[in-house]
């Protein structure tokens, strides 16, 4: 049995308010605890989106009543809220800007809309962008011009990791995260190691493999692994949609990920593809520093690094009821999670109650 600090996931979609048939603060944070995650940063692309004082209050009320692990809520950048969200910065996880195709209504198509946000946001926390490929390059340039730290969500391409590497070498304040699905799956949902058995080697159906950014080529995935030292954080981009939705006419993009991240990463450790220290750096130390998050006292995760088992959605806590990693054989199980001195998860069961979670930005 090994003990590691509670993980921080800087990128989750908990669907509350507006789509609680997919997830809510209760089931989403139960899923977090089952995955060894004790602090989540919740994205603002809900219905309504979280982008002013009133909607922030709605999300924080819901989280205060139902969250089982600690949390902070993102604010979303809209076309005309740069000043008003900047005034709420201290209450928020950070600012999220959607600059590319995404699920939900928060999207800033016109680059001239970006300026106001980059100039107004105070910069104590980063501006997190969903920006792929060339728009990522443009966003890094604009953040640099305005002297603001920028954090690139879910990088997936070779050209992205190489540009971030070059930007860092030039002293630009840029950080980034990678999701397990962009490290372990290639386009079509084809598994790359650790692949488990033949059961899943056919990949995923078109609807189930829909995710933004899209699953990339094998060469892109290899470039992410080769440049793991450039990547600051692991993040799930936990984006639950139900199976009926994923298998239906217009499958929405997104994968659940909170309960599979640590087992997949531990499997990579057991195969010598990364170290346990990489997990602690990228899932605890770096996100805490980048987002200025407080330490969680008496908080840890007990892991059986030798347990071998199959990933099964039927054993998970997310309301969405599926996982793109169904049937994968992994090595490394979350046995117990202690959050602020209390057992929060043990023997497959979440024991932390709804409302136990704290808003780490409460002032
Ligand atoms: C996210 C969602 O469903 O909210 N989907 C996804 O494919 N990642 C939206 C997003 O992060 O772009
Ligand atoms: Zn996301």
């Amino acid at each position: 049995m090994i003990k590691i600090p509670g993980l921080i996931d800087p990128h989750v979609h908990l669907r509350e308010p507006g789509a609680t048939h997919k997830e809510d603060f209760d089931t989403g944070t139960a899923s977090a605890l089952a995955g060894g995650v004790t602090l989540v940063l919740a994205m603002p692309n809900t219905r309504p989106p979280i982008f002013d004082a009133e909607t922030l209050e709605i999300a924080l009320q819901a989280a205060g009543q139902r969250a089982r692990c600690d949390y902070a809520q993102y604010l979303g950048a809209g076309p005309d809220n740069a000043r008003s969200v900047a005034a709420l910065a201290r209450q928020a996880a950070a600012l999220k800007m959607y600059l590319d195709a995404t699920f939900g209504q928060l999207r800033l198509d016109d680059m001239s809309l970006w300026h106001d946000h980059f100039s107004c946001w105070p910069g104590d926390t980063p501006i997190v962008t969903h920006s792929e490929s060339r728009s990522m390059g443009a966003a890094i340039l604009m953040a640099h011009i305005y002297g603001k730290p920028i954090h690139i969500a879910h990088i997936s391409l070779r050209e992205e990791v190489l540009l971030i590497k070059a930007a860092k070498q030039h002293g630009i304040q840029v950080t980034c995260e990678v999701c397990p699905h962009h490290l372990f799956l290639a386009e079509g949902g084809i598994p790359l190691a650790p692949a488990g058995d033949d059961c899943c080697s056919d990949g995923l159906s078109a609807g189930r493999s829909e995710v933004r950014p899209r699953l990339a080529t094998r060469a892109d995935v290899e470039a992410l692994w080769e440049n793991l030292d450039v990547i600051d954080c692991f993040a799930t981009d936990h984006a639950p949609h139900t199976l009926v939705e994923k298998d239906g006419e217009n499958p929405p993009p997104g994968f659940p990920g909170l309960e599979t991240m640590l087992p997949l990463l531990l499997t990579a450790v057991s195969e010598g593809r990364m170290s346990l220290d990489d997990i602690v750096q990228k899932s605890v130390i770096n996100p805490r520093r980048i987002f200025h998050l407080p330490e969680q006292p008496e908080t840890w995760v007990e892991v059986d690094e030798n347990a071998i088992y199959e990933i099964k959605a039927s054993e998970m806590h997310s309301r969405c009821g599926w996982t793109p990693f169904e049937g994968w054989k992994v090595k490394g199980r979350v046995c117990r999670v202690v959050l602020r001195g209390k057992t929060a998860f043990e023997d497959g069961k979440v024991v932390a109650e709804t409302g136990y979670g704290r808003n780490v930005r409460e002032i």
Side-chain angles (χ1 to χ4, degrees), residues 51-54 56 75 83-93 121-122:
F51 64 166
D52 58 16
E54 193 187 337
L56 180 61
L75 287 162
R83 269 170 215 291
S84 54
V85 282
L88 299 166
R90 289 180 59 203
Q91 296 173 57
W121 187 251

Side-chain angles (χ1 to χ4, degrees), residues 14 34 49 88 94 106 140 153 156 164 168 186 195 205 209 264 274 306 348:
L14 301 183
L88 299 166
L106 288 171
I140 293 174
S156 63
I164 291 170
K168 285 183 172 190
S205 70
S209 61
L264 289 167
M274 68 173 71
N306 294 314

Side-chain angles (χ1 to χ4, degrees), residues 39 67-72 340 355-362:
L39 172 50
R68 298 172 190 263
C69 75
D70 293 348
Y71 59 89
R340 286 182 279 103
Y356 182 65
R358 275 201 200 149
N359 179 2
V360 299
R361 293 285 195 245
E362 204 145 61

Side-chain angles (χ1 to χ4, degrees), residues 11 13 154 237:
H11 192 150
H13 300 267
H154 41 49
D237 192 10

Side-chain angles (χ1 to χ4, degrees), residues 11-13 43 45 96 98 102 130 153-154 212 237-239:
H11 192 150
V12 303
H13 300 267
M43 283 294 164
N45 65 335
K96 178 70 183 286
Y98 289 92
T102 182
H130 177 155
H154 41 49
R212 296 294 175 276
D237 192 10
H238 179 80

